[in-house]
Amino acid sequence: MLKVLYAGSPEAAAKTLELLLKDVSTSNFEICGVLTNAPSVQGRHKTPVPTPVESLARENSIPVFAPEHLDKEAREAVQKLNPDILVCFAYGHIFGPKFMSLFRFGGINLHPSHLPEFRGCTPVNAAILNRKEKTAFTIQKVSEKMDEGNILRQEEICLNGKETAFSLLNEAAIWGAKAFSEILSEISSTDSIAEGKVQTGEASYTGMIKKEDAKILWKKDCFEIDAMVRAYFSNPCAWTENEEGYIKILEGFPLEEKEGRELLQNCGAVSGTEIENGVAEKVPGKVLAFIKGKGIIVDCAQGYYSITRLQKQGKNEMGYKDFMNGARNFIGSLLK
C-alpha cells in the first residue's frame, strides 16, 4: 500500500483531500498523514483557527503536522510515518532537499496554471487579472526550484470571463483529485514514478497578494475592474472607499459605454443635456444610479461597473437592494 503524506492548507486543498479520501477504499494508496499551515489567530480574542485541511484531517482521524517551519523536529515527526510520496496542493511553503529525501518517490504538486506560465503562489488570480482566454491545470514533480518540476499531467482550460478565483480553484481541486488518484495508482502498481515532461516555453511568475493590490482604481476601464473583483474573490476581496469608510466589492459586472449610457438615460440619471458629442462627461468612481434588476452603477474611465453585492466595513455582506435601503446618500458619492 502506497503511503501518502498530503500537504495543503486552504479550502480548495481540503476539497482535493476530501475527494482523495473517497478513492482510498477502492485504491492501493492511503493518506498516512497531513502537513498543513499552523493555525491562524483570528478575532479580538486571538482564537487559533486551524486550516480547512487540518479540520478535515482530524474529522477523518488522520495524523496532522502543522509546524511553523520544516525543521529537523518536523522532519523527524514526518519520518516516523515512513511515507512513500508527498502530494501537495497550496501548502504555502517551499520543500528543501532534506525534507524531500524522506520520500522514496519524491513529491507531486497540483499547480493551476499552464506551466511554465504563472509560476508562484497566485496563478489563478494572475490568469483572471490578465483576462486570459485559456489557462491549464498541471500536476508536476516537486523540484528544488519553485514550480520547475517535470510535468506528469496537464489539461488546458477555457475561460469565459466570469470565473472567480474561488470558482477556478474549486475546479482545479476537483480535477487535481482525479489526476492525483490516477498517478498514485500508477506508482503503486509499477513501483516507480514516470519521468514526466520537461517544461518548455517562456516562464512568468506571480507573487503574494497584498491588500493594497485589491484596491479598485476607478480610472481603469470597466473590464479591468471586473477582472479585479473576480480575481480577488474571496481573498482579499476587491475594495474601495468613500467618506464613510472601507467597502468590499464582492460581485458585479461590466457595462460597455453605449449600454451603460442607455441604461442611465432611461432611468434619468444622465440627461441629454449632459451629453456632448454623444458622450457623457466621465467622472471615474462616481456612483451614478441604483437600477433594479441591474445594480449600483459606478462610472469608470471607459464604460461602467454595476455592483450587485458588497460589504461595508464591520457589516455583513449584502445584495445591492438591501445595501441601498440603508445608504440613501450613496448615489452621487465618489468612490476612491
Side-chain angles (χ1 to χ4, degrees):
M1 182 71 73
L2 191 71
K3 299 178 73 174
V4 175
L5 180 73
Y6 183 83
S9 295
E11 188 173 345
K15 180 68 174 180
T16 298
L17 176 59
E18 179 185 15
L19 294 173
L20 279 174
L21 290 173
K22 290 180 179 179
D23 283 348
V24 164
S25 60
T26 57
S27 302
N28 43 4
F29 65 86
E30 63 173 331
I31 309 298
C32 66
V34 156
L35 179 66
T36 190
N37 285 341
S40 59
V41 177
Q42 297 180 12
R44 289 183 299 173
H45 301 293
K46 307 296 183 181
T47 304
V49 178
T51 68
V53 165
E54 178 176 347
S55 297
L56 179 63
R58 294 199 183 281
E59 289 172 9
N60 288 273
S61 301
I62 299 171
V64 173
F65 303 92
E68 292 284 354
H69 305 284
L70 296 177
D71 52 17
K72 182 180 179 181
E73 183 180 354
R75 293 195 300 272
E76 288 176 349
V78 169
Q79 189 174 29
K80 291 178 182 178
L81 295 176
N82 195 28
D84 296 304
I85 189 168
L86 174 73
V87 171
C88 178
F89 178 30
Y91 170 51
H93 295 275
I94 294 175
F95 303 109
K98 289 183 179 179
F99 183 77
M100 292 308 302
S101 68
L102 301 176
F103 310 92
R104 68 187 182 107
F105 293 118
I108 55 178
N109 173 58
L110 167 58
H111 191 80
S113 87
H114 202 300
L115 286 173
E117 182 179 53
F118 300 144
R119 289 172 176 166
C121 56
T122 54
V124 162
N125 312 80
I128 294 173
L129 283 172
N130 285 275
R131 293 155 61 187
K132 302 289 290 187
E133 293 183 356
K134 293 180 180 179
T135 187
F137 301 149
T138 304
I139 304 291
Q140 58 169 161
K141 286 186 171 181
V142 174
S143 65
E144 289 189 26
K145 295 184 178 180
M146 182 178 64
D147 296 328
E148 293 189 19
N150 287 3
I151 294 171
L152 298 176
R153 294 278 196 288
Q154 190 170 71
E155 183 168 333
E156 196 170 79
I157 305 297
C158 292
L159 304 178
N160 61 19
K162 295 182 180 180
E163 297 85 1
T164 67
F166 179 85
S167 69
L168 196 52
L169 273 173
N170 186 65
E171 187 178 346
I174 295 169
W175 179 88
K178 183 175 184 296
F180 278 145
S181 185
E182 292 172 352
I183 293 169
L184 292 172
S185 293
E186 289 174 7
I187 293 170
S188 181
S189 62
T190 63
D191 200 39
S192 65
I193 185 168
E195 184 63 27
K197 179 183 175 183
V198 176
Q199 295 184 32
T200 58
E202 185 176 354
S204 58
Y205 296 86
T206 66
M208 294 288 290
I209 295 171
K210 301 175 183 177
K211 180 183 174 182
E212 297 76 36
D213 298 329
K215 183 176 182 180
I216 295 174
L217 302 176
W218 296 101
K219 291 183 179 180
K220 293 179 176 287
D221 71 54
C222 61
F223 294 101
E224 290 178 280
I225 290 169
D226 178 61
M228 287 186 68
V229 173
R230 293 185 292 109
Y232 297 127
F233 181 95
S234 58
N235 184 30
C237 287
W239 62 279
T240 187
E241 56 188 340
N242 64 3
E243 293 180 352
E244 295 183 5
Y246 170 85
I247 304 169
K248 290 181 180 180
I249 307 301
L250 305 175
E251 292 178 3
F253 58 90
L255 291 164
E256 292 192 35
E257 195 68 42
K258 182 180 179 181
E259 180 185 5
R261 191 168 64 244
E262 288 175 351
L263 277 172
L264 292 166
Q265 283 183 282
N266 289 338
C267 75
V270 175
S271 67
T273 58
E274 292 177 294
I275 299 176
E276 184 178 349
N277 298 324
V279 179
E281 181 183 356
K282 303 293 288 180
V283 184
K286 186 175 182 180
V287 183
L288 298 173
F290 157 50
I291 302 176
K292 290 183 178 180
K294 289 294 182 180
I296 300 168
I297 312 300
V298 182
D299 208 354
C300 308
Q302 293 180 16
Y304 306 87
Y305 189 73
S306 178
I307 302 171
T308 57
R309 195 159 190 83
L310 62 172
Q311 182 178 11
K312 276 189 176 181
Q313 189 170 13
K315 304 291 184 180
N316 294 328
E317 63 177 76
M318 58 186 72
Y320 68 97
K321 294 179 184 178
D322 291 332
F323 180 88
M324 288 305 301
N325 287 335
R328 300 191 181 281
N329 297 322
F330 196 57
I331 303 302
S333 67
L334 188 66
L335 303 177
K336 55 186 178 179

